[in-house]
């Protein structure tokens, strides 16, 4: 198994509810998954990046009702807003799954049947609290009475709960408590970051109960096999999307090769579904578990509250992208917010971060070097005379970057990867100041060419490393060094630039924003 998955990478976003306009909070996971997927593709992996929409459940049903629309027609219209994120955010997802598609209904049905055949599903009646906004069941202890409204709410989310009583199918999750704990003990990286892992472990240790997995008072959902009075509980159906994307229930090569490498990136609010419900359901169906579930934090509005569709405090990415640029937004979200933690975001911070790192550090570096090459080397890659220790030191630092960045990407720490890339960007800027090629132009042309060649080589490597994070801008950098599309991967990491190659006219890559524009 290890061999066939060695170079496979399956990365997934949560599937988004079709309830309102997608915002930066929802875009966040997709952007990070995109950078991880792109990085692995550059590194020669067989990558599959899956995203999509969660279209069943009471929440979507109520939204369609409110809009006065037929539910399927509502979904068909709303899904377009989510699909539009792919070009808008330059996402490279290989597939987009909708839970109302036939392929998914087939997969969810087969998955249910597998759990049932193995004896893990039984019928009973359910009574308890339910939060429609979370599509989640809560116990009495998990709720509180809001002092202002006197309404009962879920402590975890602050969302109102309603009393629910109905016949229901149950999944015997309690039977998997020990097996799940053993799995997490044997696979310490299966839940990340570590703080979240501990939370999940103590939840499991506090005792797993059986869960209701069907609804009889709702007709919008995938019918329970052989009992059309019930539809599957939305999470039962939704989680299976990760298998549908690989062709389940067919025994496809993707199921065999990609499934064991699966990395689910999710928000912290839905970790329990992914780290407790999902693996136990997979065990019940007799399937292997995903490799990792990583729970990230929330993007918060200036007022310290989670940005959300229902709170109406969410930033819509379109305006930000139009004003500041897509790669600026991507860079900012991945560099400024520690992946795993909550992060306050603002236009001011975006402008500050991108002016400093992109316009001043990286943009200036490329601009200074490439315009000197254009003016003083006849617009061609310079010819080095022999590298001095200072040149070699910088080249080695840039050479070592790939392994460092790779390590951070494997650890799901994109913010650290970017931090390390900027250590080299700053070292290159310090080198250029120290070497002063503009002065060498008058005294030692050969040495000037060596210094500029060193810098071109370092910029090439930086451009390869930033590619997954900022594909468009990195392509502009690599274009200006005449790097062919074939050489834009880590396989070409050591393929040095060829002296005398003619370069295109240099152009600025990252514009600088003045402070007042940030408002
Ligand atoms: N449909 C379920 C997921 C099913 S996966 C099998 C769902 N959908 S959601 O649309 O409500 O949320 C999708 C993701 O967006 C979640 O991971 C959630 O944490 C994330 N975010 C929503 N608002 C967010 C922020 N303000 N910040 C960061 N992530 C945010 O849950």
């Amino acid at each position: 198994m290890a061999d066939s998955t060695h170079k496979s990478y399956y990365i997934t976003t949560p599937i988004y509810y079709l309830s309102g306009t997608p915002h930066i909070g929802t875009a966040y996971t997709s952007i990070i998954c995109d950078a991880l997927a792109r990085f692995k593709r550059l590194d020669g992996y067989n990558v599959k990046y899956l995203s999509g929409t969660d279209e069943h459940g009471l929440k979507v049903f109520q939204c369609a009702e409110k809009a006065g629309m037929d539910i399927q027609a509502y979904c068909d219209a709303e899904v377009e807003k989510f699909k539009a994120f792919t070009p808008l955010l330059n996402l490279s997802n290989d597939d987009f799954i909708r839970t109302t598609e036939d392929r998914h209904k087939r997969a969810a049905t087969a998955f249910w049947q597998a759990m049932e055949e193995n004896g893990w599903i039984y019928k009973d009646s359910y009574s308890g609290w339910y939060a429609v906004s979370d599509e989640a069941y809560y116990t009495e202890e998990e709720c509180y009475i809001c002092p202002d409204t006197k309404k009962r709410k879920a402590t975890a989310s602050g969302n109102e709960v309603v009393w629910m009583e109905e016949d229901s199918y149950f999944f015997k999750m309690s039977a998997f408590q020990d097996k799940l704990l053993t799995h997490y003990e044997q696979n310490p990286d299966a839940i990340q970051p570590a703080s979240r892992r501990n939370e999940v472990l103590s939840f499991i240790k506090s005792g797993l109960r059986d869960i209701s997995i069907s609804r009889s008072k709702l007709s919008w959902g995938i019918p329970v096999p052989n009992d059309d009075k019930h539809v599957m509980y939305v999470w039962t159906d939704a989680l299976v999307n990760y298998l549908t994307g690989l062709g389940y229930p067919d025994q496809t090569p993707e199921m065999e090769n990609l499934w064991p490498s699966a990395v689910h990136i999710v928000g912290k609010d839905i970790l329990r579904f992914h780290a407790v419900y999902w693996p136990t359901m997979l065990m019940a169906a007799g399937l292997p578990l995903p490799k990792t579930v990583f729970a990230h934090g929330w993007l918060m509005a200036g007022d310290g509250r989670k940005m959300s569709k229902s709170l109406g405090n969410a930033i819509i990415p379109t305006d930000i992208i139009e004003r500041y640029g897509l790669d600026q937004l991507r860079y900012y979200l991945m560099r400024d917010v520690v992946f795993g933690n909550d992060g306050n975001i603002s236009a001011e911070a975006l402008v500050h971060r991108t002016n400093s790192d992109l316009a001043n550090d990286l943009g200036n570096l490329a601009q200074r070097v490439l315009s000197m090459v254009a003016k003083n080397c006849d617009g061609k890659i310079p010819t080095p005379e022999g590298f001095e220790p200072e040149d070699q030191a910088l080249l080695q630092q840039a050479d070592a970057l790939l392994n460092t960045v790779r390590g951070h990407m494997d650890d799901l720490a994109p913010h650290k990867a970017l931090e390390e890339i900027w250590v080299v960007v700053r070292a290159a800027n310090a080198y250029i100041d120290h070497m002063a090629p503009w002065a060498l132009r008058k005294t030692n042309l050969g040495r000037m060419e060596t210094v500029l060649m060193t810098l071109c080589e370092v910029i090439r490597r930086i451009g390869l490393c930033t590619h997954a994070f900022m594909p468009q801008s990195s392509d502009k950098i690599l274009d200006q060094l005449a790097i062919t599309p074939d050489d834009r991967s880590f396989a070409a990491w050591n393929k040095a630039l060829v002296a005398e190659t003619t370069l295109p006219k240099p152009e600025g890559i990252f514009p600088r924003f003045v402070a007042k524009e940030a408002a």
Side-chain angles (χ1 to χ4, degrees):
M1 190 66 87
D3 276 342
S4 63
T5 61
H6 174 61
K7 279 279 194 180
S8 293
Y9 193 69
Y10 181 38
I11 181 132
T12 66
T13 70
I15 47 172
Y16 304 107
Y17 286 128
L18 290 181
S19 54
T21 309
H23 55 80
I24 285 202
T26 39
Y28 180 59
T29 325
S30 296
I31 289 176
I32 294 196
C33 288
D34 185 62
L36 292 162
R38 286 177 184 273
F39 190 87
K40 289 289 181 186
R41 283 193 204 103
L42 291 170
D43 217 2
Y45 279 67
N46 166 30
V47 172
K48 175 133 184 171
Y49 166 20
L50 181 72
S51 190
T53 43
D54 195 350
E55 308 193 359
H56 293 123
L58 191 52
K59 179 148 92 166
V60 173
F61 178 84
Q62 288 179 347
C63 284
E65 231 179 13
K66 208 168 146 201
M69 287 175 78
D70 165 75
I71 316 170
Q72 189 61 57
Y74 170 84
C75 292
D76 292 346
E78 288 298 299
V79 73
E80 294 308 322
K81 294 182 192 163
F82 290 81
K83 283 191 166 172
F85 263 28
T86 296
L88 180 72
L89 304 171
N90 194 12
L91 304 176
S92 62
N93 53 298
D94 300 285
D95 196 354
F96 186 97
I97 182 141
R98 298 182 58 188
T99 53
T100 48
E101 286 170 336
D102 285 343
R103 60 171 170 159
H104 178 68
K105 292 179 185 164
R106 182 171 161 255
T109 306
F111 190 86
W112 179 291
Q113 282 165 336
M115 293 204 295
E116 192 167 44
E117 275 159 24
N118 291 337
W120 300 117
I121 292 181
Y122 63 92
K123 207 169 173 185
D124 205 339
S125 65
Y126 174 82
S127 59
W129 299 103
Y130 192 78
V132 181
S133 297
D134 308 336
E135 294 283 15
Y137 297 95
Y138 292 103
T139 60
E140 188 89 31
E141 299 73 48
E142 288 172 323
C143 298
Y144 69 101
I145 306 287
C146 173
D148 299 337
T149 61
K150 307 284 176 250
K151 295 211 161 122
R152 193 178 298 263
K153 294 186 169 185
T155 312
S157 64
N159 289 324
E160 216 173 284
V161 294
V162 288
W163 184 252
M164 203 89 97
E165 260 182 44
E166 59 185 333
D167 281 348
S168 170
Y169 284 93
F170 281 78
F171 164 48
K172 217 170 167 3
M173 192 163 79
S174 58
F176 293 90
Q177 177 167 334
D178 293 342
K179 207 172 162 192
L180 187 60
L181 273 178
T182 309
H183 172 73
Y184 286 138
E185 269 152 26
Q186 288 170 352
N187 298 277
D189 290 339
I191 305 173
Q192 295 181 45
S195 54
R196 300 276 167 220
R197 175 175 187 267
N198 296 338
E199 267 171 32
V200 172
L201 289 184
S202 45
F203 175 75
I204 303 170
K205 283 177 189 158
S206 74
L208 292 187
R209 56 198 166 86
D210 296 350
I211 52 166
S212 161
I213 53 166
S214 76
R215 303 288 321 272
S216 51
K217 289 193 177 154
L218 178 71
S219 57
W220 180 237
I222 300 180
V224 164
N226 305 318
D227 188 348
D228 55 13
K229 289 198 183 63
H230 289 253
V231 294
M232 294 180 198
Y233 165 46
V234 63
W235 273 100
T236 320
D237 127 37
L239 288 160
V240 179
N241 92 86
Y242 301 129
L243 297 177
T244 313
L246 300 181
Y248 178 86
D250 298 334
Q251 302 236 334
T252 59
E254 290 199 330
M255 270 304 289
E256 190 177 329
N257 298 326
L258 283 160
W259 178 243
S261 72
V263 176
H264 298 316
I265 306 285
V266 302
K268 62 181 183 181
D269 47 327
I270 57 171
L271 177 60
R272 193 177 293 180
F273 294 102
H274 285 83
V276 181
Y277 290 26
W278 184 222
T280 50
M281 284 164 61
L282 284 161
M283 287 171 179
L287 288 164
L289 306 194
K291 186 163 174 276
T292 300
V293 177
F294 185 101
H296 63 71
W298 288 335
L299 298 188
M300 316 291 269
D303 58 5
R305 289 188 308 168
K306 177 194 177 200
M307 275 189 199
S308 79
K309 292 170 256 187
S310 47
L311 287 174
N313 61 354
I315 298 176
I316 307 301
T318 329
D319 305 346
I320 301 269
I321 291 169
E322 224 164 73
R323 186 155 204 174
Y324 303 110
L326 170 62
D327 281 347
Q328 281 77 356
L329 173 66
R330 289 175 58 116
Y331 178 80
Y332 168 64
L333 292 178
M334 289 190 270
R335 173 65 184 82
D336 239 39
V337 182
V338 171
F339 195 48
N341 294 359
D342 290 344
N344 280 311
I345 62 164
S346 69
E348 289 79 4
L350 183 151
V351 167
H352 179 76
R353 173 59 79 181
T354 56
N355 271 349
S356 138
D357 295 6
L358 299 183
N360 292 358
D361 292 346
L362 179 55
N364 258 348
L365 171 68
Q367 182 90 357
R368 286 206 282 178
V369 172
L370 292 164
S371 54
M372 278 209 74
V373 169
K375 278 195 208 121
N376 305 300
C377 308
D378 203 16
K380 294 183 177 148
I381 294 283
T383 307
E385 267 193 334
F387 294 105
E388 301 287 331
E390 295 106 310
D391 315 331
Q392 275 159 357
L394 182 66
L395 286 168
Q396 274 160 15
Q397 195 180 354
D399 187 22
L401 188 57
L402 178 56
N403 269 337
T404 312
V405 171
R406 192 183 265 141
H408 289 313
M409 294 305 261
D410 282 343
D411 291 345
L412 301 168
H415 57 287
K416 285 194 188 159
L418 285 169
E419 210 175 303
E420 289 297 335
I421 299 171
W422 257 257
V423 170
V424 177
V425 170
R426 294 202 185 97
N429 274 321
Y431 169 88
I432 193 171
D433 290 343
H434 183 59
M435 293 299 153
W438 47 88
L440 291 171
R441 188 171 63 95
K442 297 178 199 138
T443 55
N444 187 345
L445 274 180
R447 180 74 193 129
M448 176 200 76
E449 295 229 359
T450 308
V451 167
L452 290 177
M453 176 56 149
T454 302
L455 286 159
C456 285
E457 196 45 61
V458 171
I459 293 170
R460 181 182 75 88
R461 289 186 165 161
I462 290 169
L464 287 176
C465 280
T466 54
H467 202 281
F469 303 92
M470 300 183 289
Q472 288 165 346
S473 311
S474 308
D475 270 335
K476 281 192 198 157
I477 295 177
L478 298 172
D479 285 346
Q480 297 192 36
L481 288 168
I483 306 294
T484 62
D486 281 355
D487 287 343
R488 295 178 193 201
S489 79
F490 301 141
W493 184 251
N494 288 321
K495 193 167 169 191
L497 293 165
V498 177
E500 295 295 310
T501 308
T502 303
L503 298 180
K505 199 168 159 281
E507 275 171 43
I509 296 158
F510 299 110
R512 195 169 201 293
F513 298 98
V514 288
K516 66 177 170 25
E517 285 183 358

